[in-house]
Amino acid sequence: MIRIENISKSNSHRILYIEASAALNRGEKVGLVGPNGAGKTTLFRMITGGEIPDEGQVAVEKHVTIGYFNQDVGEMSGVSAVTEVMDGAGPVSTVAAELRELESAMVDPDRMDEMDEIIERYGEVQARYEELDGYGLESRAREVLAGLSFSQEMMDGDVGKLSGGWKMRVALARILLMRPDVMLLDEPSNHLDLESLIWLEQFLKGYDGALLMTSHDREFMNRIVNKIIEIDGGALNTYAGDYGFYEQQRAQNEKQQQAQFERQQAMLAKEIKFIERFKARASHAAQVQSRVKKLDKIERVEPPKRRQAVAFEFQQAPRSGEDVVNIKGVHKSYGSRTIYDGLDFMIRRKERWCIMGINGAGKSTLLKLIAGTADPDQGSVALGASVKMGYFAQHAMDVLDGDQTVFEWLESEFPRAGQGALRTLAGCFGFSGDDVEKKCRVLSGGEKARLVMAAMLFDPPNFLVLDEPTNHLDLDTKEMLIKALSDYEGTMLFVSHDRHFLGELSNRVLELTPDGIHRFDGGYLEYVERTGYEAPGLGA
C-alpha cells in the first residue's frame, strides 16, 4: 500500500535519512521506533505529502485513504465534541453539515418564502444521509468517545471548552471513526488514562486496515504491532514481530556484529604483524605483496553502533521513620461531589503504592492531600518522622525560571555539584549536547517535566509522590527511570497509566471504586491476576 523507496532527507543541519527503504502492506500493524529527533514525525509527514524527500520517493497506492493523528490538533470550538468527531468522517460529514444548515433554515422566519425549496432539498439530503448511514455514524462517534472516557455531558458540550489533553482525544476519535485504509498514529497513547488505553488497544486490534504508529508505551505497542520499523543512523530496518521480539533481535544482531568485528580485527592484526615483520626481506617479497593486496580487498566490518542510553546512579535517600503517612477520617468534596468520605490510610516505609481508579475517582486528589497542595474538609493527613517528600505533578514545571538555560537552572538548584555530574544527569533525561543551552521558556511540556524529574531524583527525597511521571518520556528514558527507581530505597506513592511502569515498581495497590476502597498486598501484576482486569473501570 505504501512504499518508501531509497529516500534521503535532511532537516536544517541534520541528516535524517540516507537511501532508506521500507514498506507498509495491507493489514499490517507496524510500530515505528527510534530515538527522539530521529525523524519519526518527518516520515509521517512524507507519507501524507506534508513534506517531500530530498531524494527517492514515497509511493502510495491509488484510492488509498489515510488518516493521520499527530500532537498538533489545531483549532476546535463552536461545536460539540460529537459533531467535531463526525466532521472528520469523510463525505458523510459534508452531508451532515448541510442537513444542520437546512434544519436552521426551516425555523428561520426570514426564509419563509423559500420554504418549499428548503423542505424539498431537506428530503434529498436526508435520503443521502441515510444512504451513508449518517444516523448510525452518530452512535458510532459516541461509542468511540465513550471508549476514550468522555461522559455524555462532555460529548454534547462545546469542544472549545475542553483542555488540550481532551482535545487530543477528540482528534484521535475523528481518525478512529473515519476507519481509513491506513492509519498513521503519532503517539496516540499520550494523554490517555489506563481505561482509554486498553479500549484503544482493543479497537486497533480489531481494525482491519494498515497501521503505522509510534508510542512510548511498550506494553501498548507489544499487544498491537506485528512488525517493527526502526530508524537507525539514517536507515530503516524492518523486524518481523512485536516490540519485545525486536529488542531481543537487535541485541542478538549487535552481539553477532561485535563478535564478527572482533574476529576480523584479530585476523587483520595478524596479517599486519606478518607484513611489518617481513616487508624488508627480499625472500618474502611475493608473500608480503599478496597479503597487502588481500588486505586492500577485505570489506571492513563496522562495530555495532552504541545506543545513547545513559545510566545514572542516583544517591541513596536518607532513611525515614517507619510510618510515612497517616490519613485519618478524611472527607473531601468538590461542590456536590464527594470524593472521600472518612478515608483511613497508612503508608509505611519502603511501600510502593500505585493508585488505581477511573477518571474522577480521586487519584490526583489523594496525591494533593498528601503533598499538602489540597486540604481535607475534615480529618487529618500527617507525615511521619524524618520524612522528606518529593512531589511531581504536571504543574511542578512552574518552578522553572524561563530566563535560565537548562544547565543554569540545574546549577542554581545544585550549586555544589560538579559540572560533569550535572551534564550526566541532564543526558540521562534526554538533554544532550546543545540541549543544555536551551532556555527553559522554550522547552516543550515533556522537556520541562523531564528536567523537574531530573532535579528531584538528583537529590532524592525518601518519599516520592508521582502523578503520571512517565508522560512525555521516550522508551529509553522510561527504562532508565524504571531502573533508577527499582534501586530506590525510599517509599513511593504514584499514579501512572503505563502498565510496564506499574508492573515493575509497585508492591501495593490502592483501588478507588464507587463502592469503596480496596487494598491489595502485592504489586500491579498480582492485582491483575487476582481481579482479572487491568483497570478498575473495565469490570471483571
Side-chain angles (χ1 to χ4, degrees):
M1 294 177 94
I2 295 173
R3 288 190 323 282
I4 296 156
E5 297 168 342
N6 293 318
I7 60 162
S8 295
K9 179 76 177 168
S10 298
N11 212 340
S12 60
H13 58 284
R14 288 193 65 184
I15 295 170
L16 296 175
Y17 296 103
I18 308 159
E19 295 183 356
S21 298
L24 178 64
N25 302 312
R26 206 167 292 281
E28 279 185 333
K29 295 187 167 63
V30 180
L32 180 64
V33 303
N36 273 352
K40 296 190 285 285
T41 301
T42 303
L43 188 65
F44 282 142
R45 288 179 53 75
M46 286 193 283
I47 292 171
T48 56
E51 288 190 36
I52 52 169
D54 302 335
E55 285 171 33
Q57 64 163 347
V58 177
V60 179
E61 267 179 34
K62 270 188 178 158
H63 311 303
V64 163
T65 55
I66 295 178
Y68 174 37
F69 167 77
N70 65 6
Q71 302 293 306
D72 181 15
V73 297
E75 276 303 302
M76 287 184 192
S77 67
V79 293
S80 68
V82 76
T83 302
E84 182 72 46
V85 170
M86 287 164 65
D87 281 351
V92 69
S93 60
T94 316
V95 179
E98 191 179 350
L99 208 55
R100 286 197 300 274
E101 277 171 30
L102 290 165
E103 281 165 359
S104 302
M106 282 156 79
V107 294
D108 185 348
D110 297 340
R111 300 186 66 180
M112 288 304 287
D113 51 345
E114 303 170 59
M115 204 49 69
D116 290 347
E117 292 92 338
I118 292 169
I119 290 169
E120 189 183 338
R121 180 63 186 152
Y122 185 76
E124 290 165 8
V125 175
Q126 195 175 35
R128 176 73 179 127
Y129 191 60
E130 279 173 9
E131 196 183 300
L132 290 168
D133 190 27
Y135 293 107
L137 184 76
E138 180 167 344
S139 68
R140 290 204 308 279
R142 288 182 182 277
E143 204 179 301
V144 170
L145 286 169
L148 295 174
S149 300
F150 279 75
S151 64
Q152 290 299 327
E153 292 81 358
M154 289 168 81
M155 290 181 204
D156 293 317
D158 182 352
V159 70
K161 296 204 169 95
L162 296 174
S163 69
W166 286 99
K167 281 182 178 167
M168 215 59 107
R169 296 186 195 208
V170 171
L172 178 58
R174 284 177 72 135
I175 307 295
L176 301 182
L177 183 68
M178 181 182 166
R179 287 190 95 100
D181 300 323
V182 177
M183 269 193 218
L184 306 178
L185 303 181
D186 196 357
E187 291 298 341
S189 49
N190 271 4
H191 304 286
L192 294 186
D193 52 62
L194 192 47
E195 291 77 24
S196 305
L197 203 55
I198 292 165
W199 177 86
L200 179 59
E201 202 171 89
Q202 294 306 321
F203 183 97
L204 292 175
K205 277 184 191 170
Y207 164 64
D208 50 13
L211 170 69
L212 179 65
M213 71 169 199
T214 63
S215 176
H216 290 161
D217 187 320
R218 59 184 294 149
E219 278 294 317
F220 178 68
M221 199 187 281
N222 251 345
R223 294 172 189 215
I224 295 166
V225 306
N226 48 27
K227 179 168 139 182
I228 293 283
I229 294 176
E230 173 199 49
I231 305 170
D232 186 28
L236 290 169
N237 303 324
T238 301
Y239 295 79
D242 63 11
Y243 186 79
F245 173 79
Y246 148 74
E247 274 192 314
Q248 288 170 353
Q249 200 61 42
R250 191 184 73 190
Q252 202 177 323
N253 292 354
E254 283 182 2
K255 209 170 164 186
Q256 284 170 350
Q257 197 178 340
Q258 183 67 32
Q260 232 179 326
F261 171 73
E262 284 168 8
R263 277 199 304 274
Q264 191 182 65
Q265 289 300 305
M267 182 273 289
L268 292 174
K270 202 169 150 191
E271 294 291 327
I272 290 163
K273 196 173 173 188
F274 179 90
I275 292 163
E276 288 299 319
R277 190 172 164 198
F278 296 112
K279 68 180 176 189
R281 296 191 193 176
S283 58
H284 286 71
Q287 278 174 292
V288 167
Q289 209 47 43
S290 108
R291 291 196 183 202
V292 168
K293 277 182 185 164
K294 180 180 150 190
L295 283 190
D296 285 344
K297 284 180 185 162
I298 285 174
E299 196 174 319
R300 298 291 197 266
V301 174
E302 293 290 323
K305 289 195 233 17
R306 288 279 163 249
R307 301 247 147 196
Q308 284 279 305
V310 193
F312 191 77
E313 295 300 318
F314 292 103
Q315 300 164 31
Q316 284 306 333
R319 188 186 165 118
S320 71
E322 286 305 310
D323 294 351
V324 176
V325 180
N326 191 358
I327 294 177
K328 279 188 177 164
V330 160
H331 292 254
K332 183 69 182 171
S333 299
Y334 289 111
S336 61
R337 223 174 88 226
T338 300
I339 308 287
Y340 293 112
D341 185 12
L343 171 67
D344 293 320
F345 179 44
M346 169 74 92
I347 301 175
R348 300 190 190 280
R349 191 172 78 84
K350 285 202 165 187
E351 289 180 341
R352 294 155 170 249
W353 287 90
C354 72
I355 306 174
M356 308 295 297
I358 59 168
N359 259 343
K363 301 187 293 289
S364 293
T365 301
L366 181 60
L367 267 51
K368 286 174 185 166
L369 288 167
I370 289 171
T373 61
D375 297 318
D377 302 333
Q378 277 175 267
S380 64
V381 179
L383 294 185
S386 311
V387 170
K388 177 187 173 195
M389 180 170 57
Y391 173 46
F392 176 84
Q394 298 308 309
H395 62 72
M397 285 83 89
D398 300 346
V399 300
L400 297 172
D401 179 343
D403 292 328
Q404 289 183 316
T405 65
V406 166
F407 198 72
E408 284 167 351
W409 185 76
L410 285 173
E411 278 191 315
S412 68
E413 288 290 296
F414 307 107
R416 293 201 187 132
Q419 287 223 350
L422 291 182
R423 282 190 185 277
T424 308
L425 173 72
C428 281
F429 283 86
F431 297 100
S432 51
D434 296 342
D435 289 341
V436 293
E437 300 307 325
K438 280 184 180 175
K439 292 264 193 222
C440 289
R441 78 157 68 81
V442 305
L443 298 180
S444 67
E447 287 172 321
K448 286 178 180 171
R450 294 205 307 264
L451 183 54
V452 172
M453 177 83 68
M456 184 156 76
L457 294 178
F458 187 64
D459 178 20
N462 50 31
F463 177 40
L464 284 175
V465 178
L466 308 173
D467 197 353
E468 294 290 2
T470 60
N471 273 3
H472 310 291
L473 297 187
D474 64 26
L475 282 159
D476 289 340
T477 311
K478 208 180 275 188
E479 278 308 308
M480 184 278 301
L481 181 63
I482 287 171
K483 191 179 176 315
L485 291 176
S486 299
D487 300 334
Y488 171 70
E489 290 285 322
T491 307
M492 283 172 66
L493 174 73
F494 58 91
V495 172
S496 174
H497 66 248
D498 188 295
R499 284 161 290 178
H500 182 52
F501 189 87
L502 290 167
E504 291 290 317
L505 295 173
S506 58
N507 60 22
R508 299 279 188 287
V509 177
L510 185 72
E511 184 188 55
L512 312 176
T513 71
D515 59 347
I517 289 165
H518 311 292
R519 295 167 175 77
F520 294 84
D521 288 339
Y524 175 71
L525 299 177
E526 288 90 341
Y527 161 82
V528 172
E529 213 173 287
R530 280 162 64 186
T531 60
Y533 50 77
E534 293 185 299
L538 301 173

